[in-house]
Amino acid sequence: MKKLLLIGGDRRAACLAERLEQDGFQVETLGLGKNQQVHMDQADAVLFPYPFSVRGGLIPALTEERIRPEDVLDHIRKDALVIAQRGMEGYLPQDSFTLKRYTDAAGFEKRNAELSAEAALFEAMRYGRRALMDSTVFITGYGLFGRALALRLKAMGADVWIAARREQQRAQAIGDGMHAVPIAEMADVFSNMDLILNTVPARIFDEYQLGQIPATCMLLELASAPYGFDMDTARAMGILCELLPGLPAQYSPMSAAMALQEAVCELLGRNEK
């Protein structure tokens, strides 16, 4: 029986631990609320949170346990499989551990994008001043998440604009019935927007672009770190904005856990329990 160790995370990680136990794995957790003795050196695979992040040197957790990634790596077996995501590489010593990413599993990114888009639709309705059918909404990025969100907003009757760097993505957006502009030109149309939703995990808003956002427009950060804009700068400029990370964990933790469960089983090999 495979022994799995889950390190920190949010509500979806707690649900994932339960589902993996039901799937026949022996599961221990650290930072997820279970009162148990953890045997780090016995784990066949160590699962870090999705998405991977370290805040103040610590891995986020549901409990007050202070979990440093370096401490975990110092105590697990060198032949243990590490399952994590972008950002984990900087903590792994060279020539040690085998790293697999959740996004290596077929279909995981698409499923996670759909869960994120469903939750983001609720946030758009919650923060918008108008019904979506009366709103003009701007989305930065047209990857899996951006497109899933745009299609849902359009189905609700919103007038949807897209900013994307690649011409192919802009052409796809236009083919889907959206308006599209290059990211470098997006500030030119901000004056008409009711909502701006960022899905790009990179700083694409500078002070000039932030300054073009009208006072009545709401800017929502939906991407992961390092985020599309600096929240403190935006608020100092008087912009209405909110940071909304980890949407699947907040709105559909069990569905998010099911997606992770499928990914973990694929990465481990379904016949290796």
Side-chain angles (χ1 to χ4, degrees):
M1 178 184 295
K2 282 280 188 181
K3 297 180 180 179
L4 308 182
L5 174 61
L6 275 66
I7 304 295
D10 48 31
R11 291 170 60 200
R12 67 188 135 184
C15 293
L16 174 61
E18 295 177 4
R19 294 195 64 85
L20 288 172
E21 285 183 339
Q22 296 168 5
D23 218 15
F25 295 101
Q26 183 176 330
V27 179
E28 292 184 347
T29 65
L30 183 63
L32 292 177
K34 288 188 176 182
N35 295 321
Q36 62 179 18
Q37 185 177 0
V38 177
H39 305 87
M40 290 193 187
D41 60 344
Q42 296 181 16
D44 298 302
V46 181
L47 281 58
F48 286 88
Y50 178 89
F52 179 78
S53 66
V54 176
R55 303 169 191 167
L58 303 175
I59 296 172
L62 290 179
T63 67
E64 295 182 356
E65 290 179 85
R66 298 175 62 82
I67 308 171
R68 299 174 67 248
E70 300 92 338
D71 293 340
V72 175
L73 294 173
D74 283 344
H75 287 86
I76 63 176
R77 293 178 358 216
K78 298 304 179 185
D79 63 342
L81 172 66
V82 174
I83 300 179
Q85 202 47 43
R86 180 173 57 88
M88 188 72 221
E89 295 88 346
Y91 294 91
L92 293 175
Q94 289 186 347
D95 302 323
S96 68
F97 303 109
T98 298
L99 172 65
K100 290 188 178 181
R101 298 168 182 81
Y102 294 102
T103 50
D104 292 337
F108 174 75
E109 284 186 290
K110 185 175 187 297
R111 176 63 172 164
N112 191 68
E114 290 170 346
L115 292 171
S116 299
E118 183 175 310
L121 194 67
F122 173 84
E123 296 290 0
M125 289 188 284
R126 185 159 76 102
Y127 283 103
R129 301 175 66 197
R130 304 182 183 186
L132 290 179
M133 62 183 177
D134 295 329
S135 298
T136 303
V137 184
F138 195 93
I139 300 174
T140 55
Y142 209 63
L144 291 173
F145 180 19
R147 188 180 186 217
L149 178 56
L151 291 172
R152 284 164 170 78
L153 286 166
K154 182 173 176 56
M156 296 287 288
D159 183 23
V160 182
W161 288 70
I162 301 297
R165 285 196 177 95
R166 290 193 288 142
E167 184 177 352
Q168 180 182 5
Q169 289 181 317
R170 297 196 297 272
Q172 184 181 40
I174 292 171
D176 289 337
M178 321 295 171
H179 311 280
V181 297
I183 284 180
E185 300 174 13
M186 63 183 184
D188 295 345
V189 298
F190 280 171
S191 61
N192 299 319
M193 299 302 149
D194 299 301
L195 282 166
I196 299 176
L197 312 177
N198 179 60
T199 72
V200 179
R203 290 298 172 90
I204 59 172
F205 289 83
D206 56 24
E207 288 193 21
Y208 169 75
Q209 290 158 332
L210 290 173
Q212 304 310 303
I213 298 174
T216 57
C217 179
M218 190 75 192
L219 173 61
L220 301 182
E221 178 58 87
L222 306 177
S224 55
Y227 310 117
F229 62 94
D230 182 78
M231 187 67 60
D232 292 335
T233 299
R235 285 176 173 163
M237 296 174 67
I239 296 169
L240 300 172
C241 55
E242 289 291 338
L243 173 63
L244 302 169
L247 290 177
Q250 295 182 49
Y251 291 94
S252 52
M254 185 56 73
S255 292
M258 290 168 62
L260 287 168
Q261 177 190 16
E262 284 290 318
V264 169
C265 287
E266 179 178 326
L267 296 174
L268 291 175
R270 291 185 179 272
N271 296 320
E272 297 182 16
K273 294 177 183 175

